[in-house]
Amino acid sequence: MTDHPPHQSLLNSKMRSYQALFSAATKSCILIHSLWMVLFWGLGVLPMVIYNALSTAFFIGSFLFLLQKRPTLWALLLHFEIRLHMVLASVMVGWGTGFHYYFFILVFATFMIPMYARGMRVFLLVSDVVIYLLLYTYTAVPRYSIEPLYMELLNLHNILLVTITIALLSSVFHKRINETVGDLESAASTDPLTGLLNRRSMVDRLESEHARYHTHGVPYCILLCDIDNFKMFNDLYGHDCGDYVLRECADSIRALVRSGDSVSRWGGEEFLILLPDTGQEEAHGIAERIRSHLSQAVHSYKERELRITLTFGLSACQPADALAVCINRADQALMSGKQQGKNCVVGL
């Protein structure tokens, strides 16, 4: 089993979010164009009735692009559809009805939709501005005359619809930005294979706990453990098996430590466990519980039964110790355990 790289997982998550957004936007467009079709029918503007009927059919059909996972093409088609609707409505019923306000949705979407390349953004923006200026110049006299009251109501309707649309889109993109920041922070602080803290994040926690110890006198211990004979799993069964063993160890350790403890992949096949507010005797019991559970479990990999054991080095921080000394003592205890025959807990 091979894990996806963190950036690929983030990309997949982002694309799923935007596809959900586009799906919701498509449904909204179907509803809005259906209502406009009825509205223009009541006003007697037949060309806009026909256009909105075609637009409704287009948006129903555009689900095919979503199913085919082509969101960039869908976004471009939507952009051109809104642009064409803005132009036709402004020409048919005039500038005063406010259909030109949809220009601002186009500008907003051009810079917020992430799939567009820079050149595409520039092209869309420049062409939208040119069309907007042409509409401003040449739509003073509409093809269809409607009563001033209906013109004012249409203008107000379009102002409200554009404002609400931009507000909703801003909310969605703001949420997506927050999710992306959270995903990036998680990817930066965790090991992609095991889901445990990575070394950098554990160092931050160790430094914080060490400072707390010297400020408030709260003891803590460090457990450094290593998978016994790890190279054998890679050599006999391949690196996928080695990844499986790492995940099995990570899951077992995570399940057996306390809620306030921190577990990290320290490097290679090593794991470091931070035990806050813990004395040496209690830390030894925690390490022994993990070691015993793992050594007694039978792990199945591709119809093979694997036996996995860990050797632990335990270090209880002393008042005069620097953090590096505490970690180094755990490492020395681990080496001593390896020399004593492995699958044991050694404390110094």
Side-chain angles (χ1 to χ4, degrees), residues 167-205:
L168 289 175
L169 289 174
S170 298
S171 176
V172 169
F173 284 115
H174 179 71
K175 180 182 178 182
R176 182 57 214 167
I177 289 170
N178 288 338
E179 290 174 350
T180 301
V181 170
D183 290 341
L184 291 172
E185 289 177 348
S186 177
S189 64
T190 58
D191 171 58
L193 178 63
T194 62
L196 300 176
L197 295 174
N198 59 24
R199 187 181 184 115
R200 184 180 68 178
S201 296
M202 178 56 84
V203 168
D204 291 340
R205 296 200 181 190

Short mmCIF file of all heavy atoms in Angstrom, two decimals, residues 167-205:
data_model
loop_
_atom_site.label_atom_id
_atom_site.label_comp_id
_atom_site.label_asym_id
_atom_site.label_seq_id
_atom_site.Cartn_x
_atom_site.Cartn_y
_atom_site.Cartn_z
N ALA A 167 -21.38 38.10 -1.98
CA ALA A 167 -21.24 37.81 -0.55
C ALA A 167 -21.13 36.31 -0.30
O ALA A 167 -20.27 35.85 0.48
CB ALA A 167 -22.42 38.40 0.22
N LEU A 168 -21.97 35.52 -0.96
CA LEU A 168 -21.94 34.07 -0.78
C LEU A 168 -20.63 33.48 -1.32
O LEU A 168 -20.02 32.62 -0.67
CB LEU A 168 -23.13 33.42 -1.48
CG LEU A 168 -24.50 33.67 -0.84
CD1 LEU A 168 -25.61 33.08 -1.69
CD2 LEU A 168 -24.54 33.08 0.57
N LEU A 169 -20.20 33.96 -2.49
CA LEU A 169 -18.94 33.47 -3.05
C LEU A 169 -17.77 33.83 -2.14
O LEU A 169 -16.85 33.03 -1.92
CB LEU A 169 -18.72 34.05 -4.45
CG LEU A 169 -19.62 33.51 -5.56
CD1 LEU A 169 -19.37 34.28 -6.85
CD2 LEU A 169 -19.37 32.02 -5.77
N SER A 170 -17.80 35.05 -1.59
CA SER A 170 -16.72 35.47 -0.68
C SER A 170 -16.69 34.56 0.54
O SER A 170 -15.61 34.18 1.01
CB SER A 170 -16.95 36.92 -0.24
OG SER A 170 -16.91 37.80 -1.35
N SER A 171 -17.87 34.22 1.05
CA SER A 171 -17.95 33.34 2.22
C SER A 171 -17.38 31.97 1.91
O SER A 171 -16.62 31.40 2.70
CB SER A 171 -19.40 33.22 2.67
OG SER A 171 -19.52 32.30 3.74
N VAL A 172 -17.73 31.44 0.73
CA VAL A 172 -17.24 30.12 0.34
C VAL A 172 -15.73 30.12 0.18
O VAL A 172 -15.02 29.23 0.68
CB VAL A 172 -17.92 29.66 -0.97
CG1 VAL A 172 -17.23 28.43 -1.54
CG2 VAL A 172 -19.39 29.39 -0.73
N PHE A 173 -15.20 31.14 -0.50
CA PHE A 173 -13.76 31.19 -0.71
C PHE A 173 -13.01 31.45 0.60
O PHE A 173 -11.92 30.92 0.81
CB PHE A 173 -13.41 32.26 -1.75
CG PHE A 173 -13.72 31.83 -3.16
CD1 PHE A 173 -14.68 32.48 -3.91
CD2 PHE A 173 -13.04 30.78 -3.74
CE1 PHE A 173 -14.97 32.08 -5.20
CE2 PHE A 173 -13.31 30.37 -5.04
CZ PHE A 173 -14.28 31.03 -5.77
N HIS A 174 -13.60 32.25 1.48
CA HIS A 174 -12.97 32.48 2.79
C HIS A 174 -12.89 31.17 3.57
O HIS A 174 -11.86 30.87 4.20
CB HIS A 174 -13.78 33.51 3.57
CG HIS A 174 -13.24 33.80 4.93
ND1 HIS A 174 -12.07 34.51 5.13
CD2 HIS A 174 -13.69 33.45 6.17
CE1 HIS A 174 -11.83 34.60 6.43
NE2 HIS A 174 -12.80 33.96 7.08
N LYS A 175 -13.97 30.38 3.53
CA LYS A 175 -13.96 29.09 4.21
C LYS A 175 -12.92 28.18 3.60
O LYS A 175 -12.19 27.47 4.32
CB LYS A 175 -15.35 28.44 4.10
CG LYS A 175 -15.44 27.08 4.76
CD LYS A 175 -16.83 26.48 4.58
CE LYS A 175 -16.90 25.08 5.20
NZ LYS A 175 -18.24 24.46 5.00
N ARG A 176 -12.83 28.19 2.26
CA ARG A 176 -11.85 27.34 1.59
C ARG A 176 -10.42 27.75 1.94
O ARG A 176 -9.55 26.90 2.14
CB ARG A 176 -12.06 27.41 0.07
CG ARG A 176 -11.12 26.52 -0.72
CD ARG A 176 -11.23 25.07 -0.29
NE ARG A 176 -9.94 24.41 -0.39
CZ ARG A 176 -9.65 23.24 0.14
NH1 ARG A 176 -10.56 22.60 0.84
NH2 ARG A 176 -8.47 22.71 0.01
N ILE A 177 -10.17 29.06 2.05
CA ILE A 177 -8.84 29.54 2.44
C ILE A 177 -8.49 29.05 3.83
O ILE A 177 -7.37 28.58 4.08
CB ILE A 177 -8.80 31.08 2.36
CG1 ILE A 177 -8.82 31.54 0.90
CG2 ILE A 177 -7.55 31.62 3.06
CD1 ILE A 177 -9.00 33.03 0.72
N ASN A 178 -9.45 29.15 4.77
CA ASN A 178 -9.20 28.68 6.13
C ASN A 178 -8.92 27.18 6.15
O ASN A 178 -8.04 26.70 6.89
CB ASN A 178 -10.39 29.00 7.03
CG ASN A 178 -10.50 30.48 7.35
OD1 ASN A 178 -9.53 31.21 7.26
ND2 ASN A 178 -11.69 30.93 7.70
N GLU A 179 -9.68 26.41 5.34
CA GLU A 179 -9.45 24.97 5.27
C GLU A 179 -8.07 24.66 4.69
O GLU A 179 -7.37 23.76 5.17
CB GLU A 179 -10.53 24.31 4.41
CG GLU A 179 -11.91 24.30 5.06
CD GLU A 179 -12.98 23.78 4.11
OE1 GLU A 179 -12.66 23.62 2.91
OE2 GLU A 179 -14.11 23.54 4.56
N THR A 180 -7.68 25.43 3.67
CA THR A 180 -6.37 25.21 3.06
C THR A 180 -5.25 25.52 4.04
O THR A 180 -4.26 24.79 4.13
CB THR A 180 -6.22 26.09 1.80
OG1 THR A 180 -7.26 25.76 0.87
CG2 THR A 180 -4.87 25.87 1.14
N VAL A 181 -5.40 26.62 4.78
CA VAL A 181 -4.39 26.96 5.79
C VAL A 181 -4.29 25.85 6.83
O VAL A 181 -3.19 25.43 7.23
CB VAL A 181 -4.74 28.30 6.48
CG1 VAL A 181 -3.85 28.54 7.69
CG2 VAL A 181 -4.59 29.45 5.49
N GLY A 182 -5.46 25.33 7.26
CA GLY A 182 -5.45 24.23 8.22
C GLY A 182 -4.79 22.98 7.65
O GLY A 182 -4.02 22.30 8.35
N ASP A 183 -5.08 22.68 6.37
CA ASP A 183 -4.46 21.52 5.73
C ASP A 183 -2.94 21.68 5.64
O ASP A 183 -2.18 20.73 5.87
CB ASP A 183 -5.03 21.32 4.33
CG ASP A 183 -6.48 20.85 4.35
OD1 ASP A 183 -6.92 20.35 5.41
OD2 ASP A 183 -7.17 21.02 3.33
N LEU A 184 -2.50 22.89 5.29
CA LEU A 184 -1.07 23.13 5.17
C LEU A 184 -0.37 23.05 6.52
O LEU A 184 0.73 22.51 6.64
CB LEU A 184 -0.83 24.51 4.54
CG LEU A 184 -1.21 24.64 3.06
CD1 LEU A 184 -1.10 26.09 2.61
CD2 LEU A 184 -0.33 23.76 2.19
N GLU A 185 -1.02 23.58 7.55
CA GLU A 185 -0.44 23.49 8.89
C GLU A 185 -0.35 22.04 9.35
O GLU A 185 0.65 21.63 9.95
CB GLU A 185 -1.29 24.30 9.88
CG GLU A 185 -1.16 25.81 9.69
CD GLU A 185 -2.07 26.58 10.63
OE1 GLU A 185 -2.95 25.93 11.26
OE2 GLU A 185 -1.90 27.81 10.76
N SER A 186 -1.39 21.27 9.03
CA SER A 186 -1.37 19.86 9.39
C SER A 186 -0.28 19.11 8.63
O SER A 186 0.45 18.30 9.20
CB SER A 186 -2.74 19.22 9.11
OG SER A 186 -2.72 17.84 9.38
N ALA A 187 -0.16 19.40 7.33
CA ALA A 187 0.86 18.74 6.52
C ALA A 187 2.26 19.11 6.99
O ALA A 187 3.19 18.30 6.93
CB ALA A 187 0.68 19.11 5.05
N ALA A 188 2.43 20.34 7.48
CA ALA A 188 3.74 20.79 7.93
C ALA A 188 4.12 20.21 9.28
O ALA A 188 5.30 20.17 9.63
CB ALA A 188 3.76 22.32 8.02
N SER A 189 3.12 19.75 10.05
CA SER A 189 3.41 19.29 11.41
C SER A 189 3.32 17.78 11.58
O SER A 189 3.66 17.27 12.65
CB SER A 189 2.44 19.96 12.40
OG SER A 189 1.11 19.57 12.14
N THR A 190 2.86 17.06 10.58
CA THR A 190 2.69 15.62 10.72
C THR A 190 3.50 14.84 9.70
O THR A 190 3.83 15.34 8.62
CB THR A 190 1.20 15.22 10.58
OG1 THR A 190 0.72 15.66 9.30
CG2 THR A 190 0.35 15.87 11.66
N ASP A 191 3.79 13.60 10.06
CA ASP A 191 4.47 12.69 9.17
C ASP A 191 3.44 12.09 8.21
O ASP A 191 2.44 11.52 8.68
CB ASP A 191 5.14 11.58 9.98
CG ASP A 191 5.69 10.48 9.11
OD1 ASP A 191 6.53 10.78 8.24
OD2 ASP A 191 5.24 9.33 9.27
N PRO A 192 3.62 12.19 6.90
CA PRO A 192 2.59 11.75 5.96
C PRO A 192 2.32 10.26 5.98
O PRO A 192 1.21 9.83 5.66
CB PRO A 192 3.12 12.21 4.59
CG PRO A 192 4.60 12.35 4.79
CD PRO A 192 4.79 12.78 6.20
N LEU A 193 3.30 9.45 6.35
CA LEU A 193 3.12 8.01 6.33
C LEU A 193 2.33 7.51 7.53
O LEU A 193 1.40 6.71 7.40
CB LEU A 193 4.48 7.31 6.28
CG LEU A 193 4.45 5.78 6.31
CD1 LEU A 193 3.73 5.24 5.06
CD2 LEU A 193 5.86 5.20 6.40
N THR A 194 2.67 7.99 8.72
CA THR A 194 2.07 7.46 9.94
C THR A 194 0.98 8.35 10.53
O THR A 194 0.19 7.90 11.35
CB THR A 194 3.15 7.29 11.02
OG1 THR A 194 3.72 8.58 11.34
CG2 THR A 194 4.25 6.36 10.52
N GLY A 195 0.95 9.62 10.12
CA GLY A 195 0.00 10.55 10.70
C GLY A 195 0.42 11.07 12.06
O GLY A 195 -0.31 11.84 12.70
N LEU A 196 1.60 10.69 12.54
CA LEU A 196 2.12 11.18 13.81
C LEU A 196 2.76 12.56 13.62
O LEU A 196 2.97 13.01 12.49
CB LEU A 196 3.16 10.22 14.38
CG LEU A 196 2.71 8.79 14.67
CD1 LEU A 196 3.90 7.95 15.12
CD2 LEU A 196 1.61 8.76 15.73
N LEU A 197 3.06 13.21 14.72
CA LEU A 197 3.83 14.44 14.64
C LEU A 197 5.16 14.18 13.95
O LEU A 197 5.75 13.10 14.10
CB LEU A 197 4.08 15.01 16.04
CG LEU A 197 2.87 15.48 16.85
CD1 LEU A 197 3.31 15.85 18.27
CD2 LEU A 197 2.18 16.64 16.18
N ASN A 198 5.65 15.16 13.20
CA ASN A 198 6.99 15.01 12.65
C ASN A 198 8.03 15.53 13.65
O ASN A 198 7.69 16.04 14.73
CB ASN A 198 7.11 15.69 11.30
CG ASN A 198 6.82 17.19 11.36
OD1 ASN A 198 6.94 17.83 12.40
ND2 ASN A 198 6.41 17.76 10.23
N ARG A 199 9.29 15.41 13.30
CA ARG A 199 10.36 15.75 14.24
C ARG A 199 10.32 17.22 14.63
O ARG A 199 10.50 17.57 15.80
CB ARG A 199 11.72 15.40 13.61
CG ARG A 199 12.89 15.55 14.58
CD ARG A 199 14.21 15.23 13.89
NE ARG A 199 15.31 15.27 14.82
CZ ARG A 199 16.06 14.23 15.17
NH1 ARG A 199 15.79 13.03 14.67
NH2 ARG A 199 17.07 14.35 16.02
N ARG A 200 10.08 18.11 13.67
CA ARG A 200 10.08 19.54 13.96
C ARG A 200 9.00 19.90 14.97
O ARG A 200 9.23 20.66 15.91
CB ARG A 200 9.89 20.34 12.67
CG ARG A 200 9.98 21.84 12.87
CD ARG A 200 9.78 22.60 11.57
NE ARG A 200 8.41 22.47 11.08
CZ ARG A 200 7.96 23.06 9.98
NH1 ARG A 200 8.79 23.78 9.25
NH2 ARG A 200 6.71 22.91 9.60
N SER A 201 7.80 19.34 14.77
CA SER A 201 6.71 19.64 15.69
C SER A 201 6.98 19.08 17.08
O SER A 201 6.65 19.71 18.09
CB SER A 201 5.40 19.05 15.16
OG SER A 201 5.04 19.67 13.95
N MET A 202 7.59 17.89 17.14
CA MET A 202 7.90 17.32 18.44
C MET A 202 8.97 18.14 19.16
O MET A 202 8.90 18.32 20.39
CB MET A 202 8.37 15.87 18.28
CG MET A 202 8.75 15.22 19.60
SD MET A 202 7.45 15.27 20.85
CE MET A 202 6.49 13.83 20.40
N VAL A 203 9.93 18.65 18.43
CA VAL A 203 10.95 19.51 19.06
C VAL A 203 10.29 20.72 19.70
O VAL A 203 10.65 21.13 20.82
CB VAL A 203 12.02 19.93 18.03
CG1 VAL A 203 12.90 21.05 18.59
CG2 VAL A 203 12.88 18.74 17.63
N ASP A 204 9.32 21.31 19.01
CA ASP A 204 8.60 22.46 19.59
C ASP A 204 7.91 22.07 20.90
O ASP A 204 7.95 22.81 21.89
CB ASP A 204 7.56 22.98 18.60
CG ASP A 204 8.19 23.65 17.39
OD1 ASP A 204 9.37 24.04 17.49
OD2 ASP A 204 7.51 23.78 16.35
N ARG A 205 7.28 20.90 20.92
CA ARG A 205 6.60 20.46 22.14
C ARG A 205 7.59 20.12 23.25
O ARG A 205 7.33 20.39 24.43
CB ARG A 205 5.71 19.25 21.82
CG ARG A 205 4.59 19.56 20.87
CD ARG A 205 3.47 18.55 20.94
NE ARG A 205 2.42 18.88 19.98
CZ ARG A 205 1.24 18.30 19.94
NH1 ARG A 205 0.94 17.34 20.82
NH2 ARG A 205 0.34 18.65 19.04
#
